[in-house]
């Protein structure tokens, strides 16, 4: 007990001394500037260096929110009106006005107006009016307008982007001139550039979306029915923009599995591109993966490049047919028997057979 009381007796004066020193510095600065007639509530004061623990325990004291600083270092949280070069906070930085240079915080950076430079926050970055430079946030970045790069571990949000949005899950923006790259979903208004998403792109207009599902208001969606050289009957959903589109397809193989009579089921997906020749004719090129399965044994995967001339016979109906260049990898007896005349074939000790061969596909699409 004596030892514990002795520690408290030592720590309390030390804490009081630190607080007193910071208060004296702030008070001295305030008094001097007041005497000179410099302090006004709506004006910005300037200091070269700003040190602190958390507001108001800093060298700028209770007036920290009125100061612009050249360099700032805060153990926990810092408050200022402007930052011009570099600011570090162990937890959070709040800048009421504008900032330039680098902002580095363990949790969050917040700028009320514009940011020119870089925001690096362990969790969250916010640039109120505009960002010119880069935001790198462990979870989320937000800005009104972006002229540069947003890199968010989970989410990026902006009203207008000229540059790149890259997020682990979601990008959301108004108009985009550049690229959106989202692990799951991108959402935007008018996109001039590319949208890359692991699953879904949503936009008012986007000519070059890259995802399995693309819901583009001024784009194109269709349902298709097709078959190929190994009698796979497939129902396909194609969705995208004026040029690029995504494909999801399901179906069945019309051949019976040798030996047990089970039916093979098909699941596939891929990406395609439209090349218009004018009028009712165009060329569709598609890269797809198709998996066949009887849900009992083995593996069958086919990777294909399709070259498909298409003819729109009415406003809503399009016919297509053309060659397909295929690579097959399978370890099933029925998979090895589906196509008998490959260009190249090789078997491996693990029981897999690999084939290159030329086939074909044809079908009809109904534009939605």
């Amino acid at each position: 007990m004596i030892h514990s009381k002795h520690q408290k007796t030592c720590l309390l004066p030390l804490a009081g001394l630190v607080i007193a020193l910071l208060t004296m510095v702030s008070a001295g600065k305030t008094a001097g500037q007041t005497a000179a007639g410099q302090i006004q509530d709506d004006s910005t004061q300037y200091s070269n260096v700003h040190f602190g623990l958390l507001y108001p325990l800093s060298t700028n004291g209770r007036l920290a929110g009125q100061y612009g600083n050249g360099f700032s270092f805060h153990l926990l949280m810092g408050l200022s009106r402007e930052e011009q070069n570099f600011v570090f906070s162990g937890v959070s930085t709040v800048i009421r006005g504008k900032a330039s240079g680098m902002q580095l915080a363990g949790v969050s950076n917040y700028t009320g107006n514009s940011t020119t430079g870089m925001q690096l926050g362990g969790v969250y970055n916010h640039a109120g009016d505009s960002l010119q430079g880069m935001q790198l946030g462990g979870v989320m970045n937000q800005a009104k307008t972006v002229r540069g790069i947003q890199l968010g571990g989970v989410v990026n949000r902006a009203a207008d982007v000229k540059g790149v949005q890259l997020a682990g899950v979601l990008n959301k923006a108004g108009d985009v001139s550049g690229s959106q790259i989202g692990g799951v979903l991108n959402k935007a208004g008018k996109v001039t550039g590319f949208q890359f998403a692991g699953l879904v792109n949503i936009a008012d207009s986007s000519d070059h979306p890259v995802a399995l599902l693309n819901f583009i208001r001024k784009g194109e969606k269709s349902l298709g029915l097709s078959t190929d050289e190994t009698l796979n009957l497939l129902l396909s959903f194609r969705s995208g923009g004026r040029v690029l589109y995504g494909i999801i397809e399901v179906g069945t193989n019309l051949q019976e599995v040798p030996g047990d009579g089970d039916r093979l089921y098909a699941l596939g997906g891929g990406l395609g591109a439209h090349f218009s020749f004018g009028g009712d004719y165009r060329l569709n090129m598609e890269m797809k993966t198709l998996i066949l399965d009887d849900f009992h044994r083995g593996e069958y995967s086919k990777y294909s490049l399709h070259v498909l001339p298409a003819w729109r016979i009415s406003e809503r109906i399009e016919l297509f047919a053309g060659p397909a260049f295929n690579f097959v990898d399978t370890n099933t007896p029925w998979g090895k028997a589906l196509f008998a005349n490959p260009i190249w074939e090789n078997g491996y000790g693990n029981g897999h057979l690999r084939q290159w061969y030329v086939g074909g596909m044809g079908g009809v699409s109904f534009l939605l």
Side-chain angles (χ1 to χ4, degrees), residues 33-247:
Q33 291 174 338
T34 302
Q38 295 177 345
I39 290 182
Q40 298 177 8
D41 290 342
D42 59 351
S43 65
T44 301
Q45 309 302 311
Y46 291 95
S47 66
N48 291 327
V49 179
H50 182 203
F51 291 103
L53 177 63
L54 76 166
Y55 177 81
L57 301 179
S58 75
T59 54
N60 289 338
R62 294 185 178 277
L63 298 178
Q66 298 179 15
Y67 271 82
N69 306 294
F71 172 91
S72 294
F73 182 91
H74 308 283
L75 289 177
L76 296 177
M77 189 276 283
L79 173 67
S80 63
R81 176 171 287 184
E82 295 180 7
E83 296 291 341
Q84 295 181 346
N85 296 299
F86 178 84
V87 54
F88 168 84
S89 295
V91 177
S92 179
T93 298
V94 177
I95 303 168
R96 291 177 172 174
K98 62 183 180 179
S100 60
M102 178 179 286
Q103 300 167 46
L104 177 60
V107 177
S108 67
N109 291 300
Y110 178 95
T111 303
N113 294 331
S114 64
T115 295
T116 302
M118 184 178 295
Q119 286 186 318
L120 285 82
V123 176
Y124 176 69
N125 291 308
H126 177 101
D129 288 341
S130 66
L131 168 74
Q132 295 186 25
M134 177 184 289
Q135 283 183 318
L136 176 59
V139 176
M140 181 176 179
N141 294 308
Q142 182 165 335
K144 186 175 182 180
T145 62
V146 174
R147 301 294 182 266
I149 301 173
Q150 281 187 315
L151 301 175
V154 179
V155 180
N156 289 314
R157 295 183 62 184
D160 180 70
V161 176
K162 289 186 178 179
V164 177
Q165 281 188 314
L166 173 60
V169 177
L170 168 67
N171 289 307
K172 185 177 180 181
D175 292 341
V176 175
S177 179
S179 297
Q180 283 187 314
I181 305 171
V184 177
L185 171 67
N186 292 313
K187 185 176 181 181
K190 179 181 179 181
V191 179
T192 305
F194 288 87
Q195 284 183 305
F196 300 87
L199 185 58
V200 181
N201 286 313
I202 301 172
D204 181 69
S205 64
S206 178
D207 289 342
H208 302 92
V210 179
L212 289 177
L213 296 169
N214 301 280
F215 299 101
I216 313 301
R217 190 177 71 84
K218 296 180 181 178
E220 182 179 302
K221 294 181 287 294
S222 68
L223 284 176
L225 190 65
S226 64
T227 187
D228 62 15
E229 73 286 335
T230 55
L231 297 183
N232 293 309
L233 182 64
L234 301 171
L235 177 65
S236 304
F237 177 67
R238 292 172 171 84
S239 60
R242 188 177 57 88
V243 179
L244 299 182
Y245 58 93
I247 308 162

Side-chain angles (χ1 to χ4, degrees), residues 238-319:
R238 292 172 171 84
S239 60
R242 188 177 57 88
V243 179
L244 299 182
Y245 58 93
I247 308 162
I248 291 180
E249 51 193 9
V250 296
T252 184
N253 189 278
L254 300 179
Q255 302 183 53
E256 289 187 352
V257 176
D260 56 18
D262 287 344
R263 185 164 298 281
L264 300 173
Y265 297 93
L267 177 65
L271 301 172
H274 300 300
F275 299 92
S276 178
F277 295 145
D280 297 325
Y281 299 93
R282 65 182 178 181
L283 178 67
N284 300 325
M285 296 189 67
E286 298 180 350
M287 294 184 297
K288 299 194 298 184
T289 298
L290 185 71
I291 297 172
L292 293 180
D293 204 331
D294 62 358
F295 301 107
H296 292 303
R297 53 182 177 166
E299 302 170 356
Y300 179 97
S301 300
K302 182 169 74 169
Y303 309 92
S304 305
L305 172 64
H306 297 265
V307 182
L308 304 171
W311 174 34
R312 186 170 295 186
I313 62 174
S314 72
E315 184 180 355
R316 296 290 182 182
I317 301 176
E318 181 178 80
L319 301 178

